[in-house]
Amino acid sequence: MAPMLEVRDLAKTYEMDGKPLEVLKDVSLSLDEGDLVALVGKSGSGKSTFLHVVGTLDSPTAGRVFFGGVDLFSRSESELARFRNDTVGFVFQSHHLLPEFTALENVMMPALIRRASRSATESRARELLKAVGLGDRLPHRPTELSGGEQQRVAIARALVLRPNLLLADEPTGNLDEATGEEVFQVLLELNRTENISAIVVTHSERLSARMPRRMRLAGGRLVGEA
Amino acid sequence: MTSDLATHPSTALGMSGQHGNVSPTAPAPGDSARAPRLPAPRFSRLAALFIDLALLLLLPGVSLAVFAKPMARLAPNPFSGDALPPARWFFLLLSIPLAFQVAQWILFAATGRTFGAAIVGIGWERPDGRRPGILRALVSRSLPILIFGSALTLLEPNSRAIWVRAGLALVVIGVLLLDALGILLRRRSMRDVASGLFAYARDLDKPRAFEAPRFSGRASAISMLGVLGALAVSSLVYVLFSHFNIESTSIDVPSVAAGVSIPLSLVIVGALAAFAARRFVVGELALTALLTGLLAYEAMLTKVVAVPALQAFEVAGFLDWSLYALSAYFGIILCLILGSALGFMVASDRGADASTKFERLVARRHLRLKLAHWLELAVIATLLPIVIYGVFIWPVRTVWRLMKGRRGAKPLPPTVFMALLTIVGVMFGVTSLNVVLGVMGGFERDLKQKILGTNAHGVVHRSIGDFDEWKKVEAKVRSVPGIKAVSPFILAEVMITTNDEVAGSVIKGIDPDSATSVTDIRKYIGKDEGSLTYLAHPELIPSDDDLPQGVLGGGTSTSGGSGKILPPPQPTTPKPVLPGIILGREMALQLHVWVGDQVTVMNPIGDLGPTGPVPRSQVFRVAAIFVSGMYEYDSKYAYITIPAAQKFFRMGQAVTGLEVRCDNPDEARPLMRQVRETLGGFPYETKDWGQMNENLFSALRLERVVMAILLSFQVLIASICVIATLVMLVVEKRKEVATLKAMGAREGSIMKLFVLEGLIIGGIGAFYGSAAGFLFCELIKKFGVGLDPQVYYITRLPVVIQPASFVAVAGIAMLLVFVATLYPARRGGSISPAEGFREE
């Protein structure tokens, strides 16, 4: 069976002051359902760009990304939007919560974008927020939450539509050890119970060591399973 | 959670059927291990076809129009005897390249260098996939047609446009036949051709994310054909409506329906084009606009050519005509763009998605809109009796409070402040537009009322000869259904003099009994200012001497110096009773006369005496004074009885015409037409009140239109504020747009969101503008603004509150705002997620 996600010869080049800056070079990767991959590497090694491209937030300069056998970048913008909505959950390094909305609404937003009914979504969002330990912070705006709390809201938001693929960029980076551990446990739990595949970018060797697969990016290249 | 939210990767994109095709394990041909860079945008074959077809339509016409005029001058007809020999040579020379071209076509088709398609133009895609030279294609396809078209015009220089069209159709058919011939020669079956065509149509213009948008031939074709279709639809609608004979007297239903159908169908066309390309197809629409413009220009030119008078360009009406054409043209473009914006916002990858649920939520939140605010604003705008407060103090206070922020929350971002200012701007525009239109409408209504009071709803004249048989005609007119009353009248210009004053006057002979049923004259005579009955019975007119007698309640009557002592019920005098006259109050004041006084009416066209014409004059007694409120009437008109007038003007039994009152003054025009038909037309003529006062009404209407246009600029400026606000909002929300996109919001969705934000701003502004306009109008109505009656006919500024005009103003404001939102919304929608995140 074909892998769920296949990245083939991915390259990404930015133009910087007229000179090409190669952020990713010939990155290939395949991921099966339920795979949990830790992506480690130094700052600037292209980890975030890799996640953006795999999540179709950015286009590759060369190479292809197949999901479920479909060449993603041959699809239209609105098809990709639906793909992100249905299939991908993002957790960003700096949360990117919508400041005008409460924690609950932020979590509900992907479902609202999908035009799901509000009531069904709300119960799911409450459940998720409770699961990440924020059951009592539902009506709070992001500015009224701590960094860790915001990060947990972001994780809940990424999971609200039960994505097949979770792309997490330093999900525990801004958290203290205990909270980070909690968040990490949530991830492992989800991976086990719902068979969600995930690519988790992390700096923490301790966390990456606990994941079944580890990849290391260096200078834009995948230098093998670390 | 319901199961519909759980998806499997294979169905995530809704394209499970295609797995086999693009599966990584079975790479498609050309799918090398190292995939090439994404191909550069390609000029679509369908687009080439489209341009080719358009050229086929346009170029000949344009060339025809440009060249036909000098050619027609050169040679009226090369085949007729009087043709100039050089022109004939010219024509022959032109046919040579044409023959070459025909030969080339056949050769191309036969050798298989063309694709062998059944439609001209497709041949420019070669089977080996090499790109054909577009320029070459254009030149070699259009040149022969251009020449042929010119030749056709030479043949029929004075023909109507239809001949030109027929000639062009022949050219097209000929070209098609030639291509068909090519197919036959190449022994290609029609099935091949059809499947080839189908393959072209199927896979073209497929949009891909992150690629520069390709020129969409489909969208262009849809919009181009759609514009033509819209015109066809409008003719169809016209025919349908005329056929079913839906009649209304005030509006021309078929024309209005046809007029409405054009913008509607254009909007639909724009939406379809955007839907086909899944894009806000500005480029394609621009092309369509260009081509339709050319087409219109061509049509115009051919028309000019077709009209024998080739100098039509110099005709004075040309400027007007081109202005109309230009505005219609911009209207077409606007409708297309509006439609395509709607289409793009609605087009999702799985059909239509017109929901605005989450977009509304985000938009409201961006603008910090809350139900409580709404209620507060509504209460302020509707309950506060002082509009000034609503217009000036409330916004300042609200903005101030919102700027400070409440309960320790962060102060509002500047964009919200700008949005509030924009609301105030839209509000001002809508308010002033409403008030001005209200006042203008009031003027018109007032004038109409006054005119209808003093004038009849219509008149019947006899264009030549004396109107002696008016009694018969009167009976006939009365029999027309819808006619309420008929009364004869005599109209003439006279001078009215007293001992020391002179006034020019229009004197009207009326039948006091029937005239009251035609005009409101009885109503205009005040209580102590005489009576209409005195007109028919001048002997009843109280004299100056009578008055004290009545007041004293007895004594002797010295009226007329008779000296007789008689009881009051019989105020007759031995002196011959003078006929009565009714004067307008302004004239009475000017002449210093009052009821009972004598005036001399002089007819400037009098008898012919031994020394030339001698004015005829007669003394009348003032029977009553009327006040219509129209200065023009009150200072000009005088009424006498018909017999008195007939005697004075020596008219025998004739009258000037008949006055008519209808059941409904608004239907006077068709009714008067009907009256005329009943009377058998000539020599009888009819006019309704609108025609009788054409100048006044058209001037007023023009003023109204100009004011509306000028004040619309205010709304336009407000909508420019909307642009500025939204651009700022888009910049401010870049990161959030990226976030929403990461969560799966489409570009169209984001555009929807910003359009909604603009519409909310405009909507609130329009709502409060309408409310404030309404209050202003009510205030003017209630407290009034004095006017100089000598200038304005009326004493107070009239206001009429027409719901339809309020709705129209709000509608125009919303439309302008909607157009204004498109650019910033489009920009917001096109923010790429990666770019949005990178900003930090």
Side-chain angles (χ1 to χ4, degrees):
Chain A
M1 192 194 142
M4 179 179 79
L5 174 79
E6 177 162 3
V7 179
R8 231 193 280 165
D9 306 319
L10 203 65
K12 179 75 186 173
T13 311
Y14 288 110
E15 196 86 349
M16 280 282 183
D17 303 322
K19 273 180 272 173
L21 177 71
E22 289 187 294
V23 183
L24 293 174
K25 274 176 273 180
D26 292 331
V27 178
S28 293
L29 174 79
S30 70
L31 202 69
D32 280 319
E33 224 165 299
D35 272 2
L36 189 56
V37 179
L39 192 63
V40 294
K42 279 186 271 181
S43 298
S45 57
K47 304 185 301 280
S48 297
T49 304
F50 177 74
L51 281 197
H52 280 173
V53 173
V54 169
T56 72
L57 294 182
D58 208 347
S59 64
T61 315
R64 296 184 180 197
V65 178
F66 294 93
F67 192 90
V70 173
D71 182 0
L72 288 178
F73 291 100
S74 72
R75 316 310 296 193
S76 73
E77 188 273 336
S78 69
E79 282 167 324
L80 289 191
R82 190 177 290 275
F83 165 73
R84 291 194 288 266
N85 187 251
D86 284 343
T87 315
V88 184
F90 286 101
V91 181
F92 299 104
Q93 195 170 2
S94 41
H95 335 308
H96 292 319
L97 296 179
L98 301 175
E100 292 96 352
F101 293 84
T102 64
L104 184 66
E105 286 166 329
N106 262 296
V107 175
M108 286 162 66
M109 193 53 74
L112 294 180
I113 288 173
R114 183 194 274 193
R115 320 258 179 233
S117 95
R118 236 191 130 114
S119 50
T121 313
E122 193 170 321
S123 59
R124 162 91 177 148
R126 278 174 194 281
E127 205 177 284
L128 272 170
L129 279 169
K130 211 174 282 171
V132 294
L134 292 172
D136 52 342
R137 310 298 307 264
L138 302 182
H140 291 256
R141 299 273 169 97
T143 45
E144 296 157 355
L145 298 172
S146 73
E149 285 166 332
Q150 287 183 37
Q151 190 63 290
R152 280 182 280 169
V153 172
I155 289 172
R157 180 178 69 180
L159 298 173
V160 71
L161 289 181
R162 300 172 203 269
N164 300 100
L165 177 65
L166 186 73
L167 300 174
D169 197 352
E170 306 256 8
T172 59
N174 295 329
L175 307 182
D176 63 80
E177 207 158 298
T179 324
E181 179 62 29
E182 267 174 50
V183 168
F184 188 68
Q185 282 302 332
V186 171
L187 279 177
L188 288 178
E189 179 79 15
L190 281 163
N191 176 246
R192 202 168 47 241
T193 55
E194 310 211 3
N195 212 21
I196 290 179
S197 319
I199 302 177
V200 182
V201 168
T202 179
H203 269 120
S204 160
E205 295 288 340
R206 198 176 54 79
L207 289 183
S208 67
R210 289 161 63 186
M211 290 200 242
R213 276 177 76 186
R214 281 167 300 281
M215 309 255 188
R216 185 176 297 276
L217 263 177
R221 281 177 197 282
L222 210 55
V223 291
E225 313 251 329
Chain B
M1 201 58 208
T2 48
S3 61
D4 68 298
L5 291 187
T7 50
H8 189 266
S10 63
T11 56
L13 287 169
M15 46 181 133
S16 43
Q18 291 192 13
H19 280 189
N21 295 348
V22 283
S23 161
T25 49
D31 186 0
S32 57
R34 165 109 201 168
R37 289 176 175 226
L38 288 170
R42 212 159 44 94
F43 195 79
S44 153
R45 281 171 292 185
L46 203 59
L49 165 68
F50 170 64
I51 287 181
D52 223 353
L53 279 176
L55 275 171
L56 200 63
L57 277 173
L58 291 175
L59 275 181
V62 173
S63 65
L64 225 155
V66 173
F67 294 122
K69 197 166 143 181
M71 280 188 188
R73 270 201 198 131
L74 255 173
N77 189 339
F79 294 128
S80 68
D82 50 64
L84 296 167
R88 197 180 296 195
W89 281 111
F90 184 51
F91 172 70
L92 283 175
L93 280 175
L94 284 180
S95 59
I96 295 169
L98 183 69
F100 266 103
Q101 185 62 40
V102 171
Q104 195 189 357
W105 277 335
I106 296 172
L107 201 69
F108 270 21
T111 54
R113 281 187 66 200
T114 60
F115 184 76
I119 294 178
V120 72
I122 285 192
W124 301 109
E125 179 77 7
R126 293 183 188 170
D128 59 357
R130 273 211 290 151
R131 213 193 309 181
I134 285 293
L135 194 69
R136 190 183 158 280
L138 296 190
V139 170
S140 59
R141 282 288 175 188
S142 53
L143 198 67
I145 296 163
L146 191 145
I147 293 165
F148 196 46
S150 312
L152 271 173
T153 334
L154 261 183
L155 288 172
E156 282 285 351
N158 290 325
S159 68
R160 300 208 183 101
I162 187 139
W163 284 107
V164 178
R165 297 271 165 260
L168 286 178
L170 273 178
V171 175
V172 174
I173 291 167
V175 168
L176 291 180
L177 283 177
L178 286 172
D179 275 337
L181 187 68
I183 294 162
L184 282 179
L185 288 173
R186 288 188 59 213
R187 293 198 192 87
R188 270 198 177 240
S189 75
M190 288 308 280
R191 241 180 70 201
D192 286 352
V193 174
S195 62
L197 274 178
F198 183 69
Y200 273 127
R202 200 184 46 207
D203 199 38
L204 283 174
D205 310 324
K206 194 179 178 312
R208 286 164 178 234
F210 298 111
E211 259 187 57
R214 280 187 291 182
F215 183 86
S216 169
R218 239 187 295 191
S220 320
I222 286 175
S223 55
M224 184 75 196
L225 293 175
V227 169
L228 299 175
L231 300 177
V233 163
S234 79
S235 335
L236 203 69
V237 166
Y238 186 87
V239 169
L240 275 178
F241 271 84
S242 321
H243 180 74
F244 291 119
N245 221 358
I246 300 164
E247 279 240 353
S248 165
T249 43
S250 48
I251 52 164
D252 182 5
V253 176
S255 308
V256 170
V260 170
S261 75
I262 290 184
L264 277 184
S265 34
L266 285 175
V267 167
I268 293 170
V269 165
L272 287 178
F275 216 88
R278 303 288 148 122
R279 203 148 53 69
F280 188 29
V281 282
V282 182
E284 287 81 350
L285 291 183
L287 183 71
T288 303
L290 190 77
L291 291 179
T292 35
L294 277 176
L295 198 68
Y297 185 64
E298 171 222 348
M300 200 170 80
L301 284 179
T302 11
K303 202 174 172 194
V304 170
V305 169
V307 170
L310 289 174
Q311 296 83 3
F313 264 116
E314 284 81 47
V315 170
F318 185 73
L319 185 69
D320 284 355
W321 203 82
S322 30
L323 274 180
Y324 283 131
L326 209 63
S327 44
Y329 182 45
F330 281 120
I332 287 177
I333 296 174
L334 185 69
C335 288
L336 282 175
I337 286 177
L338 284 183
S340 93
L342 289 173
F344 174 64
M345 286 191 278
V346 167
S348 101
D349 57 306
R350 290 183 193 166
D353 165 30
S355 165
T356 56
K357 232 162 115 195
F358 97 85
E359 291 92 339
R360 272 204 315 271
L361 183 68
V362 176
R364 284 216 310 270
R365 221 40 88 71
H366 277 179
L367 295 171
R368 303 293 204 272
L369 276 182
K370 275 183 156 184
L371 189 67
H373 285 168
W374 269 92
L375 288 176
E376 195 181 336
L377 300 185
V379 166
I380 287 170
T382 46
L383 288 190
L384 271 184
I386 308 159
V387 178
I388 300 301
Y389 182 90
V391 174
F392 295 104
I393 303 175
W394 156 68
V396 173
R397 259 190 52 190
T398 311
V399 168
W400 180 247
R401 206 193 46 213
L402 291 173
M403 283 294 281
K404 277 199 307 193
R406 62 221 125 69
R407 276 187 285 118
K410 272 207 280 184
L412 285 179
T415 44
V416 176
F417 179 68
M418 275 189 73
L420 281 165
L421 285 182
T422 309
I423 288 175
V424 175
V426 175
M427 188 167 136
F428 270 128
V430 171
T431 306
S432 48
L433 203 53
N434 272 327
V435 170
V436 166
L437 288 182
V439 170
M440 293 284 187
F443 259 115
E444 200 173 319
R445 190 192 58 178
D446 222 78
L447 197 66
K448 188 174 140 186
Q449 266 175 6
K450 296 251 155 79
I451 282 173
L452 288 181
T454 36
N455 278 342
H457 294 169
V459 290
V460 179
H461 280 285
R462 205 190 142 97
S463 50
I464 45 166
D466 287 339
F467 203 166
D468 284 321
E469 71 289 14
W470 59 270
K471 285 209 163 113
K472 262 188 276 168
V473 174
E474 188 183 352
K476 259 197 216 168
V477 172
R478 215 185 285 275
S479 70
V480 174
I483 299 288
K484 207 180 194 174
V486 187
S487 173
F489 73 96
I490 290 169
L491 204 66
E493 296 202 5
V494 295
M495 301 228 301
I496 298 181
T497 62
T498 57
N499 289 337
D500 37 33
E501 300 287 341
V502 181
S505 166
V506 174
I507 206 159
K508 197 168 171 186
I510 55 168
D511 172 20
D513 295 329
S514 59
T516 49
S517 58
V518 173
T519 60
D520 290 342
I521 174 84
R522 194 192 287 279
K523 266 194 257 168
Y524 291 148
I525 296 170
K527 215 173 159 196
D528 300 320
E529 298 175 344
S531 156
L532 194 64
T533 35
Y534 295 163
L535 195 62
H537 305 283
E539 66 279 2
L540 297 177
I541 300 173
S543 68
D544 288 342
D545 307 327
D546 291 338
L547 288 173
Q549 181 194 23
V551 171
L552 293 170
T556 55
S557 166
T558 53
S559 129
S562 68
K564 278 187 190 170
I565 298 165
L566 281 171
Q570 194 66 29
T572 47
T573 57
K575 217 175 145 189
V577 177
L578 293 172
I581 186 168
I582 298 177
L583 299 179
R585 185 195 269 162
E586 298 294 332
M587 198 196 305
L589 290 176
Q590 195 190 338
L591 294 173
H592 303 301
V593 292
W594 205 245
V595 178
D597 288 341
Q598 294 183 356
V599 293
T600 307
V601 175
M602 285 174 52
N603 184 2
I605 310 155
D607 304 315
L608 203 66
T611 53
V614 176
R616 192 188 310 143
S617 68
Q618 190 177 353
V619 181
F620 286 80
R621 274 184 83 203
V622 178
I625 306 288
F626 76 89
V627 184
S628 69
M630 279 276 281
Y631 181 78
E632 175 124 335
Y633 288 122
D634 293 348
S635 63
K636 264 249 165 78
Y637 270 67
Y639 294 94
I640 56 177
T641 59
I642 292 241
Q646 281 168 340
K647 207 173 125 201
F648 181 60
F649 296 111
R650 312 246 157 114
M651 292 173 75
Q653 285 305 303
V655 296
T656 308
L658 297 174
E659 286 186 314
V660 171
R661 193 175 189 86
C662 314
D663 287 335
N664 180 3
D666 293 324
E667 291 188 0
R669 187 151 296 182
L671 202 58
M672 290 316 289
R673 225 178 286 141
Q674 206 184 325
V675 165
R676 195 171 167 217
E677 277 161 30
T678 314
L679 295 178
F682 186 81
Y684 300 106
E685 279 184 353
T686 58
K687 264 187 181 175
D688 61 73
W689 56 271
Q691 289 163 326
M692 289 190 276
N693 300 278
E694 190 100 55
N695 294 345
L696 208 54
F697 281 111
S698 62
L700 215 64
R701 214 163 294 136
L702 180 72
E703 196 172 274
R704 202 177 175 186
V705 168
V706 169
M707 285 302 276
I709 290 173
L710 287 180
L711 286 167
S712 299
F713 277 99
Q714 210 171 329
V715 182
L716 195 72
I717 291 166
S719 53
I720 289 169
C721 289
V722 170
I723 298 183
T725 307
L726 284 187
V727 166
M728 276 193 56
L729 204 63
V730 166
V731 170
E732 191 182 284
K733 307 289 182 200
R734 282 180 77 88
K735 205 181 85 186
E736 281 149 59
V737 168
T739 312
L740 285 171
K741 280 197 163 179
M743 288 189 281
R746 291 182 293 115
E747 256 185 66
S749 234
I750 304 291
M751 187 170 167
K752 235 190 251 181
L753 192 160
F754 285 112
V755 165
L756 276 173
E757 283 175 22
L759 287 182
I760 290 172
I761 291 172
I764 297 176
F767 175 76
Y768 289 114
S770 303
F774 180 77
L775 278 176
F776 256 122
C777 287
E778 282 292 337
L779 285 176
I780 294 172
K781 239 186 187 174
K782 194 136 202 159
F783 300 110
V785 177
L787 290 178
D788 182 355
Q790 304 218 356
V791 182
Y792 295 103
Y793 307 106
I794 33 185
T795 49
R796 270 174 52 172
L797 196 66
V799 182
V800 59
I801 294 171
Q802 291 168 309
S805 116
F806 273 74
V807 170
V809 167
I812 288 171
M814 290 308 283
L815 187 73
L816 285 174
V817 168
F818 181 45
V819 174
T821 58
L822 293 182
Y823 166 71
R826 181 75 206 98
R827 261 190 53 174
S830 61
I831 293 171
S832 97
E835 194 187 315
F837 288 138
R838 223 175 282 140
E839 281 296 292
E840 308 164 55

